Amino acid sequence: GEDVEQSLFLSVREGDSSVINCTYTDSSSTYLYWYKQEPGAGLQLLTYIFSNMDMKQDQRLTVLLNKKDKHLSLRIADTQTGDSAIYFCAEQRSSNTGKLIFGQGTTLQVKP
Amino acid sequence: NAGVTQTPKFQVLKTGQSMTLQCAQDMNHEYMSWYRQDPGMGLRLIHYSVGAGITDQGEVPNGYNVSRSTTEDFPLRLLSAAPSQTSVYFCASSRLTGIRSDEQYFGPGTRLTVT
């Protein structure tokens, strides 16, 4: 299959941790990305991980990669109302072309 | 830098009409691409280009044409609009820095409705 899969919706309370999951299919993927899209705006790169890494942490964001299961997750600690957005994972399947395959996006709703 | 700019922001077309969505970047990026975004389907790649004079098809190229005569511009042409092309269209650009594609910068999008 060609798909990158994400669950469509996640709701958390302010201050809790959010975990957004993604599965991909191409074992030769080189880089995996997380993008954020706020309402009415384009996509903004949050973070990325190289396929030979298991984990990457960047302030409140932690990315975990299980290459064996082709599973990627994004954990947002201390989730704030400003984190409400759609989050897309994307995989880069071939080097040097910039082509990305996106998941369907997970809408994160943060309740005060 | 203005980044990636797209025009128009909104457009309504009748079935069968043609139009061109404009995309420009002023960052001297080699790579440019067009995506469409539909509810529940994420972003799907329409066409992309790795440099002036070079274009290639993405996942959903049918009904669209592109050209890349300059590094800065990457217009997307709808030849004969259909209601199935109602969508939000995003243009993106990035450097090509070897193994990893550098961060892709996205334009603000064009919301197209075909009636």
Side-chain angles (χ1 to χ4, degrees), chain A residues 40-91:
Chain A
L43 277 70
Q44 174 192 5
L45 179 66
L46 281 180
T47 187
Y48 65 90
I49 188 167
F50 187 45
S51 57
N52 71 351
M53 296 169 66
D54 298 325
M55 185 181 85
K56 181 178 181 181
Q57 186 151 6
D58 184 1
Q59 299 183 333
R60 291 191 298 123
L61 304 178
T62 302
V63 179
L64 295 178
L65 176 61
N66 181 329
K67 198 171 180 184
K68 174 176 166 289
D69 294 338
K70 301 189 188 67
H71 183 264
L72 180 74
S73 68
L74 174 70
R75 179 177 180 268
I76 305 173
D78 187 25
T79 313
Q80 304 297 307
T81 54
D83 295 323
S84 293
I86 303 175
Y87 291 81
F88 292 93
C89 67
E91 60 171 338

Side-chain angles (χ1 to χ4, degrees), chain B residues 34-55:
Chain B
W34 277 101
Y35 294 89
R36 58 178 289 173
Q37 183 179 24
D38 302 295
M41 299 188 73
L43 276 75
R44 292 181 292 168
L45 183 65
I46 304 171
H47 285 286
Y48 67 97
S49 168
V50 298
I54 306 168
T55 63

